[in-house]
Amino acid sequence: MRMVDMIEKKRNGLNLTPEEIRFVIDGYIKDEIPDYQMSAFLMAVYFQGMTAEETAELTMAMAKSGDQIDLSKIHGVKVDKHSTGGVGDTTTLILAPLVAAAGVPVAKMSGRGLGHTGGTIDKLEAVPGFHVEVSEEQFIGLVNKNKLAVVGQSGNLAPADKKIYSLRDVTATVNSIPLIASSIMSKKIAAGADAIVLDVKVGSGAFMKEMKDAEALASTMVEIGEQVGRKTAAVISDMNQPLGYAVGNALEVKEAIDTLKGNGPADLYELCLVLGSKMVVLAGKVQTEAEARAMLEEAIENGKALEVFKTFLSAQGGDASVVDHPEKLPDAKYKIPVLSEADGFVEGIAADEIGTAAMLLGAGRAAKDSVIDLSVGIVLRKKIGNEVKKDEPIAIIHSNTEDAAVSARKVLKAFKISSRRPSAVPLIKG
Ligand code: URA
Ligand code: CA
């Protein structure tokens, strides 16, 4: 086989066989296919697309390009969850103990990565003593015992995806549904998930701005799951404003604790119930989402989810007393209110602007080796539909420097205030 023929075939809109797709991925990861040919191939895919069979083959070829985590020693159906880039998305911290309380094993591999705030591991490290340095054997033991453990991600998970993603980033080929879908699914499959629940965000702060693109991405990923024998379900949720109120590491841990106590923000709680219900059903615990939802609501009401969270924190060295004493979490020195410049109603909150404002305070990494400040971030005071008065706080900046003017300007710019009350936006869109 020759790479030039694969490029020509795809350019002409023909379908590649499974052998041909494996040839492309194997050749690229072994450096037998150069970047310039791969770039041309990716651009051909960008314009011509891929069939469901091609996309599934591409996913599996990338999933098999590095380590494949074996979770078979964990009892039960391992369900993983993935969200496509929310801002201040605290759902994992809540969902993990919540579904674990319903008996679903959660064997979570998480990264640190770049972004507006840290990843799940960074957030959890806001709990004094908490660490993810556990051996594979300990990890499996903890999940079997407590139904929940979190470990750092292997450096060699789907390396073909990593290499291709870097190339897509500089060749204007990121925004292709088969390429995004296979990229996300390859990593989940390599991480050992039996079943996958996807939260596809749509709106101004999301990758997918339009509903039809979000639907196409969601159904492509569900189809990949079906093709490769992993039960997969997807939800499309709104990202025209950050989820919940808190954006920042310790701030989100506190928000997660509040939610597990039943006092969380309504949108965050609802999304956790919707995603969690799907996870419980895919794990085979109950037949219907209504039954699953009732189980999860009960686990919040009777404190079981909170108990699981405490046990999980202690088992990985964390001080579980933060759950009852959140004031023990890292706290920023200055709390600076951002005041509205007008009377009116909040019509939208550009989530990506709020995310960038949090990152500038030190909540996230701008570069791979940046050090995160776990205490800083932004807490919204107003959300879409709320009335605001001039000079009333719309958000509070938690900062360790007295001057947070750059972030304050970004927060102000993120809020769209209009004179008329906007109609309510549904959180779950599909
Ligand atoms: N996230 C991924 O992991 N891959 C993509 O291609 C896009 C978003
Ligand atoms: Ca949040």
Side-chain angles (χ1 to χ4, degrees):
M1 273 188 235
R2 295 189 314 158
M3 184 62 179
V4 64
D5 300 323
M6 306 302 117
I7 299 170
E8 183 175 309
K9 209 172 162 184
K10 190 39 76 186
R11 184 202 67 192
N12 292 344
L14 301 174
N15 300 336
L16 300 187
T17 65
E19 295 72 33
E20 288 170 334
I21 288 177
R22 288 198 295 271
F23 165 80
V24 170
I25 299 304
D26 293 348
Y28 187 56
I29 198 79
K30 286 186 196 145
D31 286 329
E32 289 162 9
I33 292 170
D35 283 351
Y36 55 82
Q37 283 191 309
M38 195 63 179
S39 303
F41 178 78
L42 292 168
M43 190 57 84
V45 170
Y46 180 93
F47 281 113
Q48 296 290 2
M50 278 186 152
T51 64
E53 290 75 21
E54 287 178 299
T55 313
E57 198 61 46
L58 174 62
T59 303
M60 288 314 286
M62 293 199 295
K64 288 176 184 163
S65 66
D67 294 345
Q68 286 175 273
I69 312 300
D70 179 8
L71 299 179
S72 58
K73 290 200 199 100
I74 295 174
H75 319 305
V77 182
K78 278 74 70 184
V79 189
D80 205 349
K81 167 249 165 194
H82 180 83
S83 149
T84 67
V87 174
D89 190 339
T90 322
T91 52
T92 299
L93 293 179
I94 301 157
L95 271 174
L98 183 56
V99 304
V104 178
V106 180
K108 192 82 194 154
M109 292 218 137
S110 265
R112 297 179 189 276
L114 301 176
H116 298 124
T117 64
T120 297
I121 292 181
D122 298 299
K123 290 176 191 173
L124 286 167
E125 282 175 353
V127 177
F130 184 89
H131 68 86
V132 291
E133 283 75 37
V134 289
S135 69
E136 190 180 324
E137 202 183 322
Q138 285 171 313
F139 177 63
I140 289 172
L142 284 175
V143 181
N144 279 332
K145 182 159 163 258
N146 300 331
K147 294 286 176 218
L148 170 58
V150 174
V151 71
Q153 198 162 296
S154 144
N156 198 34
L157 213 61
D161 170 65
K162 200 175 272 175
K163 196 172 175 197
I164 292 170
Y165 194 86
S166 307
L167 194 60
R168 286 166 59 206
D169 218 12
V170 292
T171 56
T173 51
V174 168
N175 224 334
S176 150
I177 300 241
L179 295 180
I180 298 172
S182 55
S183 167
I184 292 172
M185 292 293 283
S186 67
K187 285 171 281 199
K188 292 285 138 188
I189 291 167
D194 299 321
I196 301 156
V197 172
L198 300 155
D199 176 19
V200 177
K201 306 284 190 190
V202 64
S204 64
F207 223 18
M208 297 290 150
K209 313 279 179 209
E210 304 293 335
M211 189 59 189
K212 70 169 181 14
D213 295 328
E215 277 171 334
L217 179 60
S219 54
T220 302
M221 290 194 286
V222 170
E223 209 162 339
I224 292 173
E226 271 166 21
Q227 294 264 346
V228 305
R230 305 294 204 283
K231 281 188 267 178
T232 306
V235 169
I236 299 174
S237 70
D238 182 66
M239 224 338 112
N240 285 303
Q241 61 182 341
L243 196 60
Y245 292 97
V247 181
N249 300 283
L251 294 170
E252 288 183 40
V253 172
K254 171 147 192 325
E255 187 165 70
I257 292 169
D258 288 342
T259 308
L260 287 168
K261 288 179 179 169
N263 308 322
D267 59 346
L268 180 60
Y269 182 51
E270 177 61 21
L271 185 60
C272 288
L273 287 178
V274 170
L275 295 171
S277 300
K278 291 200 183 293
M279 293 173 79
V280 171
V281 170
L282 288 193
K285 289 283 162 197
V286 289
Q287 293 288 317
T288 68
E289 282 177 33
E291 290 168 276
R293 190 182 169 105
M295 273 175 94
L296 298 177
E297 283 172 338
E298 195 187 326
I300 296 270
E301 277 158 27
N302 66 16
K304 177 119 188 269
L306 200 63
E307 245 354 273
V308 170
F309 190 56
K310 285 185 186 171
T311 306
F312 152 69
L313 291 178
S314 307
Q316 295 193 221
D319 176 2
S321 72
V322 298
V323 170
D324 298 312
H325 299 280
E327 69 278 3
K328 289 185 179 175
L329 290 166
D331 188 28
K333 197 160 166 200
Y334 301 99
K335 316 285 186 308
I336 307 163
V338 179
L339 307 180
S340 176
E341 291 183 330
D343 290 339
F345 297 90
V346 179
E347 193 178 300
I349 308 172
D352 42 354
E353 291 277 345
I354 298 286
T356 306
M359 192 172 79
L360 290 173
L361 294 167
R365 290 185 182 83
K368 227 166 30 196
D369 49 4
S370 313
V371 177
I372 286 188
D373 183 341
L374 295 169
S375 69
V376 301
I378 292 163
V379 180
L380 304 178
R381 279 291 182 83
K382 301 284 179 182
K383 300 257 301 193
I384 292 179
N386 288 159
E387 187 170 8
V388 291
K389 298 278 177 222
K390 187 172 183 298
D391 293 332
E392 192 185 2
I394 50 177
I396 309 291
I397 290 180
H398 290 234
S399 172
N400 277 322
T401 53
E402 203 167 353
D403 177 9
V406 178
S407 289
R409 269 198 301 279
K410 280 205 174 291
V411 171
L412 207 52
K413 196 172 139 224
F415 272 80
K416 191 163 172 224
I417 311 281
S418 76
S419 54
R420 281 195 331 192
R421 189 186 289 276
S423 46
V425 279
L427 171 68
I428 307 298
K429 297 190 153 174

